[in-house]
Amino acid sequence: MNKSSAKQWRGIFPPMVTPLRDRDTLDVAGVERLIEHILAGGVQGLFILGSTGEAPSLSYRLRRELIERTCRQVAGRAPVLVGITDTAFVESINLARVAATAGAQALVLAAPYYFPAGQPELLEYLQHIAPELPLPLFLYNMPANTKLAFEPVTVRRAMEVPGIVGLKDSSGNMIYFHQLISLLPPPDWTLLIGPEELLAEAVLVGGHGGVCGGANICPKLYVDLYEAAAARKMESVATLHQQVIRLASRIYQVGHHGSSVIKGIKCALACLGICDDFMAEPFHRFRSEQRAEVQGHLEALGITRFVG
Amino acid sequence: MNKSSAKQWRGIFPPMVTPLRDRDTLDVAGVERLIEHILAGGVQGLFILGSTGEAPSLSYRLRRELIERTCRQVAGRAPVLVGITDTAFVESINLARVAATAGAQALVLAAPYYFPAGQPELLEYLQHIAPELPLPLFLYNMPANTKLAFEPVTVRRAMEVPGIVGLKDSSGNMIYFHQLISLLPPPDWTLLIGPEELLAEAVLVGGHGGVCGGANICPKLYVDLYEAAAARKMESVATLHQQVIRLASRIYQVGHHGSSVIKGIKCALACLGICDDFMAEPFHRFRSEQRAEVQGHLEALGITRFVG
Amino acid sequence: MNKSSAKQWRGIFPPMVTPLRDRDTLDVAGVERLIEHILAGGVQGLFILGSTGEAPSLSYRLRRELIERTCRQVAGRAPVLVGITDTAFVESINLARVAATAGAQALVLAAPYYFPAGQPELLEYLQHIAPELPLPLFLYNMPANTKLAFEPVTVRRAMEVPGIVGLKDSSGNMIYFHQLISLLPPPDWTLLIGPEELLAEAVLVGGHGGVCGGANICPKLYVDLYEAAAARKMESVATLHQQVIRLASRIYQVGHHGSSVIKGIKCALACLGICDDFMAEPFHRFRSEQRAEVQGHLEALGITRFVG
Amino acid sequence: MNKSSAKQWRGIFPPMVTPLRDRDTLDVAGVERLIEHILAGGVQGLFILGSTGEAPSLSYRLRRELIERTCRQVAGRAPVLVGITDTAFVESINLARVAATAGAQALVLAAPYYFPAGQPELLEYLQHIAPELPLPLFLYNMPANTKLAFEPVTVRRAMEVPGIVGLKDSSGNMIYFHQLISLLPPPDWTLLIGPEELLAEAVLVGGHGGVCGGANICPKLYVDLYEAAAARKMESVATLHQQVIRLASRIYQVGHHGSSVIKGIKCALACLGICDDFMAEPFHRFRSEQRAEVQGHLEALGITRFVG
């Protein structure tokens, strides 16, 4: 395995949405435009097939196609991280191999999410899967969707498993994030935060970057906030954090249900002319009134076509 | 679509465990012995690839192999129901087609289980998927694993969707089950209960049968209890219900974690010489002390090799 | 302590609502009419200051007044059970003494419900409080409100604590109820069910009676169902169970929020001219449209003034 | 009502533990020593009868005694805030009057915590109770114990209710805290954070102070951290935050169950010779091995008798 260097994993890694034409067809031109849009924002890397990418709702065929197209389009300009979360161990490995062959740099894995496993079972699962993976692995803590958190006691043990190089925390629980930092992870380990509302404080207290959905829309805003926080420029942090909160509290709160965040991001990208906003079942794109609301918010926020 | 008749769906439909040699290899001889063992108990049908069958933990290749081998082995002696639950709409359809081609009689579908959807989204999902399925569909209410119940208001609407013919309730919530009955389902609809502890009362209050894990071990016991309850033979019901509770309260409470039920069933089947007890990740078979405990319980319960 | 005999605790013990004029004033005439209405239905006893009685929302002064007035009005015609659930140990004891002095026959205690305690802490709590109580004690399993269930392992140990004579289960989880029965409680122990939807099956599988909110409205219906189930008269059980489900699925589903059951019962009693439907904060009586709905349901169900 | 000025509510308000001799007896000398210990740390005020103060587990008589003794001992040197959270509206008012008469400056109220109310019911509750209170009121968001959060939509409306002057958030959910800040509360409103692990970031992003349990032990540490964060002295923030995390991750993780935090604080205070560590049911003080562990942690942290 090509051991990653920690420095590679500092900054913003947008969790890319998956542009779709229909339930099983990629919006290929949209994928290409979206990748260019995100890279132009100066991000450190790109994360595909996470929750924001609707990975669990996509067929394996489409997931493989997305991996290959993304790696080809990025063409080494930034590392590509690929989500391989699955309830079936064997399918996670299959996806990991596709990712390695296509030229991705790392893998991202949440807990298996159908059966409620115990922490010792979760640790054993990690110890079994890591040696079979061809690329460095990030854990992905996402208990709202998986029902199963990587508890600190499990993360501490996972830090000793060769090949596991970091963790992305999307729990929204900053006490947990502080606990991880206080475990004193090895220097080549990386701790990333999921929710963009928490990016500023996560970096201020010692985190290494963020995997923020809004960076699909305005990648540069998140890169700027990360850099301001890393440099402890507190006035810039305050201003940029405020902008992030404003975006999140408007765009993500159109509509109902837990699906509003992804719907809002896809809808905004469609408004900006970047890609289609079709969503895989069980979700559906916003209807026209909600789209008009999102359009209004974008204008109020000063976000216009192809803003970085 | 070959419309099913309601009468076909009255009785016991054991949720078959999936005998494995290792993570991606069926225990083929075990599958055959297990099917014969279960059919010998006089069951009404066989349900494969449910939770007890560890379906979400199995590769698609293995799931397809199991569907084909099971249909071939059963050879029309009883209807085969196939679980097609998946987070990806397209993969559910793929499995459904394999099942129809192999000769299965019905499909079983829990809610998509990664993203927390709302009830209107869940209903739309059902309305979209049912027309694309080549066989009659049972809903499978399993909120402990899916985080999403089929609420009564959604079930009422689902009763009007062509092709949806019944529901299996594994919530353990009998108030919910009574609510479904009070919706007055169409006469060709079927309501089955999951947890075997509730089989007696579910049938006494108007349910049509059970999908009980313990019927892997002692199929006849569950068939007898179903028939006694359907005939309102209350003394037999009391005796047989007592036996079911005794089995469940012993075999399923060896070990810890939510995985104890499936582990206990597989371990008991291994003790009886029927099939291997290998489990797919994230679970693992019982160790030797726990296996000795299960063996002891089987003896105390008078369950010996190849008891029907 | 006057040891209770088990026989005393077989049947229906309605959890009486607390008729109020305003936030801190009893509807005294309503209390008297309601007690007579309930006793006329042939119930086995009366349970005051439970959840249906809004006990936690009432001042201690009013709770003491209700205890005294109820005991005086009942005047030995049936045993009175008094809820003493409280987050403060000392206040539970204070209420218990008032109950004993007033002539009540037993006490009912749910888990302390602010801090989430562990099962060993809960057991110790029971071991400490039981010796200080002047009357026999029923446990009250109500995890939806207390966040803390009496797990079977704790109930088994509680069966050995002198003075604890039974348990009322309002969890709605019949698997749990079967587990309690399979613990083989001592012959002088009593297992009662809370939710009326489960009364029939609870008695059929070995429970001893019910504490059903609807028995405020139609006490005789619940007494009849209990007796039919105890005598295994399955046709009567089916008919009466159906009536109970119909009442519950109509009256309790007017309005929203978890408070709909108590609101529905109080509103029905007001429609029947029995008592005021004022509710203690944080709840409020139904508004006129909802009251009209309840009135309509009562008429459809054939429940008119002073039906037993 | 004496309108409070916002400036009064900036800084650290330790949630004082309640020193007890036994279940219903204050450790009076301990109360006095603890108050002096805390005030010596330069705190902005003192909060009694919160969760850390075990208020729901104490008799009303003892709560009244604590209010009176605390106000007498503090004698105007700092504002005293008094928790009046209760399931019974009338008892909350009773406590509020005792607090006002004793000379307290403000009240603190969590949601009523037995019945699961809806947000509209919660808002109405606030609208009803605020006018009856003789002192300014802080809301206390504590969903882990109350099951009911003050959702942002409710907080926004509560900001318009005269007499409600702020909110203490103990949810641990920083996304929620950011949402409250983005509601743009009136300038005389105060937002305080509960969990000490989040004090630094809460103040950095615009919060006004903290109600931190550890300030019972080391009040000056929390005052220093607050001041460093308010002044954006990022190096001091990093050092002091680290010390807070170290204290919390050691002292609060001795023992099991949710009760470990309060037990750890009381035990530490007993080790320091400040007050008794008796706990009200359903909890119990640490046993000797756990006490030795806490003692060891205090020494490792350099916390010795009467450190401010």
Side-chain angles (χ1 to χ4, degrees):
Chain A
M1 185 188 315
N2 201 346
K3 188 78 168 82
S4 70
S5 101
K7 227 185 130 193
Q8 199 175 357
W9 308 116
R10 302 290 179 265
I12 298 298
F13 301 83
M16 197 172 88
V17 303
T18 302
L20 296 171
R21 278 270 170 255
D22 64 36
R23 167 189 303 158
D24 202 27
T25 311
L26 275 182
D27 168 12
V28 173
V31 169
E32 293 171 2
R33 272 194 304 271
L34 180 55
I35 290 173
E36 294 308 317
H37 172 66
I38 291 174
L39 290 184
V43 302
Q44 189 68 27
L46 199 61
F47 168 39
I48 59 172
L49 293 176
S51 301
T52 308
E54 298 172 85
S57 306
L58 305 175
S59 75
Y60 287 89
R61 190 206 58 67
L62 192 142
R63 289 191 229 183
R64 288 191 299 267
E65 183 187 346
L66 180 69
I67 294 169
E68 285 156 6
R69 286 192 186 277
T70 301
C71 289
R72 206 177 313 140
Q73 180 76 19
V74 171
R77 289 177 287 169
V80 175
L81 297 86
V82 176
I84 60 166
T85 303
D86 207 291
T87 53
F89 189 101
V90 172
E91 299 297 351
S92 289
I93 310 249
N94 288 345
L95 282 171
R97 289 183 185 149
V98 172
T101 303
Q105 270 69 30
L107 306 168
V108 182
L109 180 71
Y113 50 92
Y114 184 76
F115 292 113
Q119 291 294 312
E121 291 169 329
L122 181 57
L123 178 61
E124 252 183 322
Y125 170 82
L126 295 177
Q127 289 165 335
H128 286 194
I129 204 165
E132 308 222 11
L133 297 176
L135 290 172
L137 179 67
F138 283 84
L139 306 184
Y140 176 13
N141 190 48
M142 184 48 156
N145 286 356
T146 65
K147 298 171 299 201
L148 183 58
F150 290 101
E151 290 183 6
V153 65
T154 300
V155 177
R156 176 160 26 197
R157 297 290 306 278
M159 286 172 181
E160 300 157 7
V161 176
I164 302 185
V165 300
L167 181 142
K168 171 198 169 186
D169 177 30
S170 291
S171 68
N173 179 349
M174 284 303 295
I175 299 178
Y176 171 84
F177 198 77
H178 293 306
Q179 287 172 330
L180 296 191
I181 289 176
S182 75
L183 294 177
L184 301 176
D188 58 345
W189 243 66
T190 297
L191 288 174
L192 301 172
I193 195 82
E196 55 209 78
E197 295 90 338
L198 306 176
L199 174 60
E201 61 210 89
V203 174
L204 288 174
V205 300
H208 303 116
V211 183
C212 306
N216 280 278
I217 308 173
C218 300
K220 192 165 180 305
L221 169 60
Y222 296 81
V223 170
D224 289 348
L225 176 52
Y226 164 74
E227 289 177 354
R232 305 290 185 269
K233 295 184 178 162
M234 296 305 293
E235 282 189 32
S236 302
V237 168
T239 309
L240 296 163
H241 169 73
Q242 202 61 29
Q243 290 177 33
V244 165
I245 295 294
R246 215 176 303 137
L247 186 152
S249 65
R250 296 190 184 179
I251 306 281
Y252 303 167
Q253 286 178 17
V254 175
H256 309 289
H257 311 307
S259 55
S260 293
V261 175
I262 310 179
K263 282 181 185 169
I265 296 174
K266 275 201 152 173
C267 182
L269 292 170
C271 291
L272 296 173
I274 294 172
C275 65
D276 201 327
D277 61 352
F278 186 92
M279 292 200 54
E281 270 104 357
F283 298 142
H284 298 284
R285 71 176 96 199
F286 279 148
R287 300 211 176 78
S288 55
E289 321 92 275
Q290 293 169 316
R291 182 164 176 156
E293 244 186 280
V294 170
Q295 179 70 55
H297 288 314
L298 287 172
E299 283 161 19
L301 293 162
I303 301 171
T304 49
R305 290 187 154 256
F306 280 79
V307 171
Chain B
M1 186 187 315
N2 201 346
K3 188 78 167 85
S4 70
S5 101
K7 223 183 132 194
Q8 198 174 0
W9 308 116
R10 301 290 180 261
I12 299 297
F13 301 84
M16 196 172 87
V17 302
T18 302
L20 295 171
R21 280 267 171 256
D22 64 37
R23 164 188 306 157
D24 202 25
T25 312
L26 274 182
D27 168 12
V28 173
V31 170
E32 293 171 3
R33 273 195 303 271
L34 180 56
I35 290 172
E36 294 309 317
H37 172 66
I38 292 173
L39 291 184
V43 301
Q44 189 67 26
L46 198 62
F47 168 39
I48 60 171
L49 293 176
S51 300
T52 307
E54 298 171 86
S57 306
L58 305 175
S59 75
Y60 286 89
R61 190 205 59 67
L62 193 142
R63 290 190 228 182
R64 288 191 298 265
E65 183 187 346
L66 179 69
I67 294 169
E68 285 156 5
R69 285 192 186 277
T70 301
C71 289
R72 205 177 313 141
Q73 180 75 18
V74 171
R77 290 177 285 169
V80 175
L81 297 86
V82 176
I84 60 166
T85 303
D86 208 290
T87 53
F89 190 99
V90 172
E91 300 296 350
S92 289
I93 309 249
N94 289 344
L95 282 171
R97 290 183 183 149
V98 173
T101 303
Q105 269 70 29
L107 307 167
V108 182
L109 179 71
Y113 50 92
Y114 184 76
F115 292 112
Q119 291 294 311
E121 290 170 329
L122 181 57
L123 177 61
E124 251 183 321
Y125 170 82
L126 295 177
Q127 289 165 335
H128 287 195
I129 204 165
E132 309 222 12
L133 298 176
L135 291 172
L137 180 67
F138 283 85
L139 306 184
Y140 175 13
N141 190 46
M142 184 46 156
N145 287 355
T146 65
K147 298 170 300 200
L148 183 58
F150 291 100
E151 291 183 6
V153 65
T154 301
V155 177
R156 175 159 30 195
R157 297 289 306 277
M159 286 172 181
E160 300 158 6
V161 176
I164 302 184
V165 300
L167 181 143
K168 170 198 170 187
D169 177 29
S170 291
S171 68
N173 180 348
M174 284 303 294
I175 299 178
Y176 172 84
F177 198 77
H178 292 305
Q179 287 172 330
L180 296 192
I181 290 175
S182 75
L183 294 177
L184 301 176
D188 58 346
W189 243 65
T190 298
L191 288 175
L192 301 173
I193 195 80
E196 55 209 78
E197 297 90 338
L198 307 176
L199 174 60
E201 62 212 88
V203 175
L204 288 173
V205 300
H208 303 117
V211 183
C212 305
N216 280 278
I217 308 173
C218 300
K220 192 163 181 311
L221 170 59
Y222 297 81
V223 171
D224 289 348
L225 176 52
Y226 165 74
E227 289 177 354
R232 304 293 185 263
K233 295 187 179 160
M234 295 306 291
E235 282 187 33
S236 301
V237 168
T239 308
L240 296 163
H241 170 73
Q242 202 62 30
Q243 289 176 33
V244 164
I245 295 293
R246 214 176 303 136
L247 188 152
S249 65
R250 295 190 185 178
I251 307 282
Y252 302 167
Q253 286 179 16
V254 175
H256 309 287
H257 311 306
S259 55
S260 292
V261 175
I262 310 179
K263 282 180 187 170
I265 296 174
K266 277 201 151 173
C267 182
L269 291 171
C271 291
L272 296 172
I274 293 171
C275 66
D276 200 327
D277 60 352
F278 186 93
M279 293 201 53
E281 270 105 357
F283 298 144
H284 298 284
R285 71 176 94 200
F286 279 148
R287 300 211 176 78
S288 54
E289 321 93 275
Q290 293 169 316
R291 182 164 175 156
E293 244 187 281
V294 169
Q295 179 69 55
H297 287 316
L298 287 172
E299 283 162 19
L301 293 163
I303 301 171
T304 48
R305 289 184 155 260
F306 280 78
V307 171
Chain C
M1 187 188 317
N2 201 347
K3 189 80 169 82
S4 71
S5 102
K7 227 184 131 194
Q8 197 174 358
W9 309 116
R10 302 289 180 264
I12 299 298
F13 300 83
M16 196 173 88
V17 303
T18 302
L20 295 171
R21 279 268 170 255
D22 65 37
R23 167 189 304 158
D24 202 25
T25 312
L26 275 182
D27 168 11
V28 173
V31 170
E32 292 172 2
R33 273 194 302 270
L34 180 56
I35 290 172
E36 293 309 317
H37 172 66
I38 292 173
L39 291 185
V43 302
Q44 190 68 26
L46 199 61
F47 168 39
I48 59 171
L49 293 176
S51 300
T52 308
E54 297 172 89
S57 305
L58 305 175
S59 75
Y60 286 89
R61 189 205 59 67
L62 192 142
R63 291 191 227 182
R64 287 191 299 266
E65 183 187 346
L66 179 70
I67 294 169
E68 285 157 5
R69 285 192 187 278
T70 301
C71 288
R72 206 176 313 143
Q73 180 76 18
V74 171
R77 289 177 288 169
V80 175
L81 296 86
V82 176
I84 60 166
T85 303
D86 207 291
T87 53
F89 189 101
V90 172
E91 300 297 350
S92 289
I93 309 250
N94 289 344
L95 282 171
R97 289 185 184 147
V98 172
T101 303
Q105 268 71 29
L107 307 167
V108 182
L109 180 71
Y113 49 93
Y114 184 76
F115 292 113
Q119 290 294 313
E121 291 170 329
L122 182 57
L123 178 60
E124 252 183 322
Y125 170 81
L126 295 177
Q127 289 166 334
H128 287 195
I129 204 165
E132 309 222 11
L133 298 175
L135 290 173
L137 179 68
F138 283 84
L139 306 184
Y140 175 14
N141 190 47
M142 184 47 156
N145 286 357
T146 66
K147 298 171 299 199
L148 182 60
F150 291 100
E151 290 182 7
V153 64
T154 301
V155 176
R156 174 159 28 197
R157 297 290 305 279
M159 286 172 181
E160 300 158 7
V161 175
I164 302 184
V165 300
L167 181 143
K168 171 199 170 186
D169 177 29
S170 291
S171 68
N173 180 348
M174 283 303 294
I175 299 178
Y176 171 84
F177 198 77
H178 292 305
Q179 287 172 329
L180 296 191
I181 290 175
S182 75
L183 294 177
L184 301 175
D188 58 346
W189 243 66
T190 297
L191 288 174
L192 302 173
I193 196 81
E196 56 210 76
E197 295 91 338
L198 306 176
L199 174 61
E201 62 210 270
V203 174
L204 288 173
V205 300
H208 303 116
V211 182
C212 306
N216 280 278
I217 308 173
C218 300
K220 191 164 181 308
L221 169 59
Y222 297 80
V223 170
D224 289 349
L225 176 51
Y226 164 75
E227 288 177 354
R232 306 289 184 268
K233 296 185 178 161
M234 296 305 292
E235 283 189 32
S236 301
V237 168
T239 309
L240 296 163
H241 169 74
Q242 202 61 30
Q243 289 177 33
V244 164
I245 295 293
R246 215 175 304 135
L247 187 152
S249 66
R250 296 191 184 179
I251 306 281
Y252 303 167
Q253 286 178 16
V254 175
H256 310 289
H257 312 305
S259 55
S260 292
V261 175
I262 310 179
K263 282 181 186 169
I265 296 173
K266 276 200 151 174
C267 182
L269 292 171
C271 292
L272 296 172
I274 293 172
C275 65
D276 201 326
D277 60 352
F278 186 93
M279 293 201 54
E281 271 105 357
F283 298 143
H284 298 284
R285 72 176 95 200
F286 279 148
R287 301 212 174 76
S288 55
E289 321 93 274
Q290 293 169 317
R291 183 166 176 154
E293 246 187 277
V294 170
Q295 179 70 55
H297 288 315
L298 287 173
E299 282 161 21
L301 293 163
I303 301 171
T304 48
R305 287 186 157 257
F306 280 78
V307 171
Chain D
M1 186 188 315
N2 202 346
K3 189 79 167 82
S4 70
S5 101
K7 225 184 131 195
Q8 199 175 357
W9 308 117
R10 302 291 181 261
I12 298 298
F13 300 82
M16 197 173 87
V17 303
T18 303
L20 296 170
R21 281 267 170 255
D22 65 36
R23 165 190 304 158
D24 202 25
T25 312
L26 276 182
D27 168 11
V28 174
V31 169
E32 293 172 0
R33 272 194 303 271
L34 179 55
I35 291 173
E36 294 308 319
H37 172 67
I38 291 173
L39 290 186
V43 302
Q44 189 69 25
L46 198 61
F47 169 39
I48 60 172
L49 293 176
S51 301
T52 307
E54 297 171 86
S57 305
L58 305 175
S59 75
Y60 287 89
R61 191 205 57 68
L62 193 143
R63 289 191 229 183
R64 289 191 297 266
E65 183 187 346
L66 179 69
I67 294 169
E68 285 157 7
R69 285 191 186 278
T70 301
C71 289
R72 206 177 314 142
Q73 180 76 19
V74 170
R77 289 178 286 169
V80 175
L81 297 85
V82 176
I84 60 166
T85 303
D86 208 290
T87 53
F89 189 99
V90 172
E91 300 296 350
S92 288
I93 309 249
N94 289 343
L95 282 172
R97 289 183 185 149
V98 172
T101 304
Q105 268 71 29
L107 306 168
V108 182
L109 180 71
Y113 50 93
Y114 184 76
F115 293 112
Q119 291 293 312
E121 291 169 329
L122 181 56
L123 178 61
E124 251 183 322
Y125 170 81
L126 294 177
Q127 289 165 334
H128 286 195
I129 203 166
E132 309 223 11
L133 297 175
L135 291 172
L137 179 67
F138 283 84
L139 306 183
Y140 175 14
N141 189 46
M142 184 47 157
N145 286 356
T146 65
K147 299 172 297 200
L148 183 58
F150 291 100
E151 290 183 6
V153 65
T154 301
V155 176
R156 178 162 24 200
R157 298 290 307 278
M159 286 173 182
E160 300 158 6
V161 176
I164 302 185
V165 300
L167 181 143
K168 170 198 171 186
D169 176 29
S170 291
S171 69
N173 179 348
M174 284 303 295
I175 299 176
Y176 171 84
F177 198 78
H178 293 306
Q179 287 172 330
L180 297 192
I181 290 176
S182 75
L183 295 177
L184 301 176
D188 57 345
W189 242 66
T190 297
L191 288 174
L192 302 173
I193 195 81
E196 55 208 78
E197 296 90 339
L198 306 176
L199 174 60
E201 61 211 269
V203 174
L204 288 173
V205 300
H208 303 116
V211 183
C212 306
N216 280 278
I217 308 174
C218 300
K220 192 164 181 309
L221 169 60
Y222 296 81
V223 170
D224 289 349
L225 176 52
Y226 164 74
E227 289 177 353
R232 304 292 185 266
K233 295 185 179 161
M234 296 306 291
E235 282 188 32
S236 300
V237 168
T239 309
L240 296 164
H241 170 72
Q242 202 61 29
Q243 289 177 33
V244 164
I245 295 294
R246 215 176 303 137
L247 187 153
S249 65
R250 296 190 184 179
I251 306 282
Y252 302 167
Q253 287 179 15
V254 175
H256 309 289
H257 310 308
S259 55
S260 292
V261 175
I262 310 179
K263 281 181 185 169
I265 295 174
K266 276 201 152 172
C267 182
L269 291 171
C271 291
L272 296 173
I274 293 172
C275 66
D276 201 327
D277 60 352
F278 186 93
M279 293 200 55
E281 270 104 357
F283 297 144
H284 298 284
R285 70 176 95 199
F286 279 148
R287 299 210 176 78
S288 54
E289 321 92 274
Q290 294 169 315
R291 182 163 177 157
E293 244 187 279
V294 170
Q295 179 70 55
H297 287 316
L298 287 173
E299 284 161 18
L301 292 163
I303 301 172
T304 49
R305 289 186 156 257
F306 280 78
V307 172

